[in-house]
Amino acid sequence: MRGLDSIDRNIIRLLRLNARITNAKLSEEVGLSPSACLRRISLLEQSGIIRGYTALVGNSEGENPIAVIINITLERQTEEHLNRFESAVRRHPEIQECYLMTGGSDYLLRVEVENAGDFERIHKEILAKLPGVLRIHSSFSIRNILATRVQPR
């Protein structure tokens, strides 16, 4: 975020805390007129610094799903093996995120499950069948610290 001034950084900070903040409230918080604030947001969006807005969704019972972080090590790291693995991952909507990594494992994946049985199904039916996988190491999250951010003053 080089090249941003303190007002831009403050706008981004406040939008991260509450993307539904009204432009009137946001402009008041950052010390700009509403039109100047909207212009800044538009420039941040056009430049790709703000890439979108999202909703955090829980299930209907109010319980949050369990995030599972999965480290995958492939048998080989050739371009062909990487492409086959990535192509297979794209076919499974259960896998919410997939990162090519440096370090001890080749990929980091994130899935969300309701319980251990749900993860067992994903492990057997999806993860264990991904092409070229040598090792799967999974960690269950206890809680997401940033899922419910403190609202601005």
Side-chain angles (χ1 to χ4, degrees):
M1 293 199 310
R2 275 193 341 220
L4 300 181
D5 65 15
S6 62
I7 294 173
D8 289 332
R9 286 191 296 276
N10 202 18
I11 288 171
I12 291 166
R13 181 184 64 79
L14 291 168
L15 287 173
R16 281 182 167 165
L17 292 171
N18 179 9
R20 296 186 63 170
I21 189 172
T22 65
N23 185 55
K25 179 70 175 160
L26 182 60
S27 64
E28 179 183 315
E29 289 283 330
V30 299
L32 292 175
S33 70
S35 61
C37 186
L38 201 54
R39 196 168 31 257
R40 292 256 189 153
I41 292 169
S42 180
L43 289 171
L44 291 167
E45 291 170 344
Q46 289 170 16
S47 69
I49 292 170
I50 295 177
R51 295 183 309 200
Y53 302 87
T54 190
L56 300 173
V57 180
N59 66 22
S60 59
E61 291 84 38
E63 295 178 18
N64 291 318
I66 301 164
V68 183
I69 306 302
I70 305 153
N71 291 291
I72 301 283
T73 303
L74 298 182
E75 296 169 338
R76 300 182 68 199
Q77 289 77 31
T78 65
E79 186 174 355
E80 178 188 344
H81 280 80
L82 298 174
N83 289 339
R84 282 183 35 228
F85 178 83
E86 292 172 15
S87 178
V89 164
R90 286 186 186 96
R91 291 192 295 268
H92 297 285
E94 296 88 346
I95 301 172
Q96 274 115 19
E97 295 180 76
C98 177
Y99 299 94
L100 178 61
M101 303 296 291
T102 63
S105 61
D106 297 312
Y107 289 93
L108 184 140
L109 282 59
R110 183 180 65 81
V111 301
E112 291 184 353
V113 298
E114 296 300 320
N115 53 48
D118 194 20
F119 179 70
E120 181 180 13
R121 178 192 60 77
I122 289 172
H123 190 281
K124 284 181 182 177
E125 295 176 7
I126 298 171
L127 301 175
K129 294 180 180 178
L130 291 171
V133 172
L134 175 66
R135 187 175 309 113
I136 301 171
H137 180 268
S138 305
S139 300
F140 281 67
S141 67
I142 295 172
R143 105 182 120 97
N144 183 344
I145 308 307
L146 299 179
T148 54
R149 294 178 184 253
V150 178
Q151 295 298 314
R153 53 189 159 106

